[in-house]
Amino acid sequence: MNFTRWSARLPGTPRRSAVARAARSADSVPASGRPGREVPSARGELTDPDASADGPAVGPALDALSVHDLLGQVPALVALVQGADHRIGYVNAAYVRAFGERPRGERAKEALPELVELGLLPLMDQVLRSGKPRTVKSRRVPARAGKHSFYTFTCTPVELAHGTGGREGRGVLVFATDVTDQVESAERLRASEARQREAAVTLQRSLLPQELEQPDDLRVAATYRPGGTEAAVGGDWYDVITLGGGRTALVIGDVMGRGVRAAAVMGQLRTAVRAYARLDLPPHEVLQLLDGLAADIDAGQIATCLYAVHDPGEELLTYASAGHLPVLVRDADGHVHSADEPTGPPLGTEGWQHTSATTPFPSGATAVLYTDGLVERRDADIDVGVAALERAFAGATGSPEIICDRLLRALGITAEHDDDVALLVFQNPRRDGQHAELFHNAALDLLGGVEAAPRARAFASGVLTSWRFPRELHDLGVLAASELVANSLQHGVPPMRLRLRRTDRRLVVEVTDGDDHLPRRRQAEPADETGRGISIVATIAASWGARLTPGGGKAVWCEFTLPTVEPVVTVS
């Protein structure tokens, strides 16, 4: 075959048309000529593109144009190869500018190394066999000037006019469109999105607790995993708040939506939760306050939240939920149950009265709070994910840190996971041996009357002596118990109870009664005979507070920090 002169047509295309024949036979525009636009004919003359097929030619005489000349004017890269070994039949000027001269008649495997590097030769074989065009998008092509370009390549089968039949009489037209600008724009967009996501993740992490508070009576661990690189960060959060009196608040929440806005709303809600927690309100009242705040922050933004309070003296977990997934509790024997009642609507709906509930949380129990990213999948109901979490939780033993890692692995949370995950695990550990001596509880029921105060002082003195407290701390504890009991006798109503609790770090003195009026510290006048009890307690104790109890009445407490026991070092 002569590669210096060829013509080609796409499969199914007629070799020439009546219009083309008429166009080639037209020598000039009729003398009468019609007003309108005129274009050069195949011989350099002007023809009327609006003329009919029966009169002067319509448009340029396409069949009179050389395919070589036509493709030479195309700005895209064009190459034609022929036969099963893809011998070069033609390359246009744009192809030469991009890759240099290519010798005709040579095999593409040796003469078109750029196509070999791009992996197009197997695609061209497929095009020859199937007779169907194939396209590969945005292939990176090293340019001669050192700057990389991107092209979309389309390989189209063609029938060669002077072929010998069969595969040797067919070829492949390689057409490459420069898409460098589009690819660079997409890369800039991805880079911008990556920067925005990084900013949102940084904001999200900065708004989460930098270091979890570690209560005396609980072991706590938490983790946060942002979604994969293709997912915008969400508004998941967790928190641990020591309330005083040995009690601890544990919080998990999830702001609907993505990006910086969700993270910012999350930060406001988390700050509000900590502020409301200091009021030592029941869980449902904390959620009620958050509900109104969420509506004020953004009327179109909703969030879910679960707020739980652990009371080590009662070994209870009191909780309330605003549309959040249930807390899972595993007993010491390994049985897992879901504390899923009651559940109110998400925060931001306003007007709904949330309610609190309790579940036992004895020594040896473990609980997990989590967001929907841990259990929700696009191809399954969320209940399936919760059931999978329960099974994984039943077998996940060890410290809270280890349990967090095991649950993430069991639920398939990887760096490519498409949703944020927040996870909070806490344990009420069993204590035995020498360590158990650092944790004690003692309680005395008081019926009132003049003998109540002496009984309370004697009880406190005996208990603190048995706990081997230093004399100064013993006396301060007895004084605090006496003042709190005296305050309850004067302003409260039965039933009354004195409770002492020690941990490895503090002593807690608490008095409960049936009256729901919380005491406040006030400045007593010099002539006043009463009103100094709470001031005395606030002066001698590290902290004090009061709260309403679930069954009615109140609890007033104070804490003393225990001295740190330095290890004994023996020098030989």
Side-chain angles (χ1 to χ4, degrees):
M1 176 180 178
N2 182 5
F3 285 95
T4 62
R5 184 176 180 83
W6 56 271
S7 62
R9 66 183 181 89
L10 298 180
T13 304
R15 294 187 178 276
R16 66 183 58 189
S17 65
V19 174
R21 289 195 299 271
R24 193 162 52 249
S25 63
D27 293 333
S28 64
V29 179
S32 60
R34 292 187 309 156
R37 53 193 181 89
E38 296 177 327
V39 297
S41 68
R43 299 181 180 180
E45 301 168 341
L46 296 180
T47 60
D48 186 351
D50 298 324
S52 65
D54 296 331
V58 179
L62 296 180
D63 279 3
L65 292 176
S66 165
V67 175
H68 179 284
D69 294 336
L70 184 64
L71 295 180
Q73 303 300 316
V74 175
L77 279 58
V78 178
L80 179 77
V81 297
Q82 182 261 345
D85 53 357
H86 305 304
R87 294 185 178 274
I88 302 175
Y90 170 78
V91 292
N92 71 346
Y95 197 102
V96 171
R97 286 193 297 270
F99 298 113
E101 291 285 351
R102 293 293 182 263
R104 297 183 179 180
E106 297 294 328
R107 295 192 307 171
K109 185 175 182 179
E110 292 83 17
L112 298 176
E114 60 277 0
L115 300 187
V116 177
E117 293 177 7
L118 293 171
L120 291 184
L121 290 188
L123 185 69
M124 293 160 62
D125 289 336
Q126 182 182 1
V127 169
L128 268 185
R129 289 193 302 268
S130 66
K132 297 179 180 179
R134 294 288 186 270
T135 299
V136 291
K137 296 182 178 180
S138 304
R139 289 293 178 93
R140 184 180 179 183
V141 177
R144 301 176 69 189
K147 180 182 178 182
H148 295 292
S149 301
F150 293 85
Y151 289 86
T152 291
F153 288 85
T154 299
C155 298
T156 304
V158 294
E159 295 180 9
L160 301 176
H162 299 291
T164 58
R167 292 181 63 182
E168 294 300 324
R170 294 185 300 173
V172 177
L173 182 69
V174 181
F175 189 90
T177 305
D178 190 341
V179 294
T180 304
D181 290 343
Q182 295 91 314
V183 172
E184 291 178 348
S185 296
E187 290 178 348
R188 287 193 296 269
L189 179 60
R190 284 193 293 270
S192 176
E193 291 174 345
R195 288 192 297 270
Q196 292 180 12
R197 183 181 183 279
E198 182 179 356
V201 171
T202 302
L203 175 63
Q204 172 86 348
R205 291 193 181 278
S206 68
L207 294 175
L208 289 172
Q210 301 305 299
E211 184 176 351
L212 280 182
E213 297 183 25
Q214 292 295 329
D216 295 357
D217 297 276
L218 296 176
R219 294 175 183 169
V220 183
T223 186
Y224 169 75
R225 296 283 183 90
T229 55
E230 299 299 323
V233 68
D236 297 16
W237 95 90
Y238 56 82
D239 211 346
V240 178
I241 309 165
T242 54
L243 302 177
R247 300 162 69 249
T248 305
L250 304 119
V251 193
I252 194 90
D254 186 1
V255 177
M256 301 298 104
R258 299 281 183 176
V260 174
R261 177 59 183 168
V265 173
M266 176 276 289
Q268 296 177 75
L269 290 179
R270 176 177 172 257
T271 301
V273 169
R274 296 192 68 87
Y276 296 148
R278 299 304 178 189
L279 300 176
D280 217 341
L281 299 171
H284 67 276
E285 293 191 22
V286 172
L287 293 187
Q288 204 66 41
L289 293 172
L290 281 177
D291 185 37
L293 178 65
D296 291 340
I297 293 175
D298 188 341
Q301 188 77 59
I302 63 173
T304 63
C305 181
L306 191 146
Y307 183 92
V309 175
H310 173 245
D311 188 334
E314 301 292 341
E315 291 194 329
L316 288 176
L317 197 64
T318 305
Y319 63 94
S321 174
H324 203 80
L325 293 166
V327 54
L328 299 182
V329 179
R330 186 183 66 202
D331 298 331
D333 60 2
H335 173 69
V336 176
H337 68 275
S338 173
D340 54 0
E341 294 293 342
T343 299
L347 303 176
T349 56
E350 291 191 287
W352 186 276
Q353 294 296 321
H354 294 83
T355 57
S356 297
T358 60
T359 187
F361 197 65
S363 175
T366 305
V368 58
L369 305 178
Y370 52 97
T371 56
D372 58 3
L374 182 65
V375 296
E376 189 173 32
R377 301 293 182 270
R378 299 181 186 276
D379 57 349
D381 189 83
I382 194 169
D383 291 337
V384 176
V386 174
L389 175 60
E390 291 181 3
R391 292 191 297 271
F393 187 34
T397 58
S399 67
E401 292 82 0
I402 293 175
I403 292 176
C404 281
D405 292 339
R406 288 179 174 175
L407 293 182
L408 291 176
R409 289 198 301 270
L411 273 296
I413 305 302
T414 64
E416 291 74 32
H417 189 60
D418 62 357
D419 197 3
D420 291 26
V421 175
L423 183 63
L424 177 63
V425 176
F426 53 98
Q427 291 177 335
N428 183 9
R430 283 179 171 171
R431 298 180 177 88
D432 50 24
Q434 184 178 3
H435 190 64
E437 293 299 317
L438 301 178
F439 291 82
H440 289 290
N441 280 293
L444 174 66
D445 292 325
L446 300 170
L447 302 177
V450 294
E451 76 282 356
R455 284 188 63 209
R457 285 192 295 271
F459 174 78
S461 178
V463 169
L464 298 181
T465 299
S466 70
W467 290 350
R468 301 185 182 90
F469 280 170
R471 190 65 197 177
E472 180 182 359
L473 184 57
H474 169 278
D475 293 344
L476 291 176
V478 172
L479 177 58
S482 177
E483 292 297 335
L484 292 180
V485 169
N487 183 79
S488 181
L489 289 171
Q490 182 172 0
H491 302 287
V493 296
M496 301 176 187
R497 195 182 196 201
L498 169 64
R499 186 170 72 177
L500 303 176
R501 176 170 175 78
R502 74 153 296 170
T503 69
D504 57 344
R505 288 183 280 181
R506 55 180 56 86
L507 165 67
V508 180
V509 181
E510 183 180 81
V511 175
T512 61
D513 63 54
D515 185 74
D516 58 1
H517 291 85
L518 299 180
R520 59 184 179 86
R521 185 178 180 181
R522 66 183 180 88
Q523 183 68 40
E525 297 296 331
D528 292 342
E529 296 183 1
T530 60
R532 296 180 176 85
I534 295 299
S535 295
I536 292 173
V537 171
T539 301
I540 64 175
S543 60
W544 77 279
R547 71 179 187 279
L548 297 177
T549 53
K554 66 178 181 293
V556 185
W557 56 268
C558 67
E559 290 183 350
F560 296 88
T561 303
L562 300 185
T564 303
V565 179
E566 298 292 338
V568 177
V569 180
T570 303
V571 180
S572 59

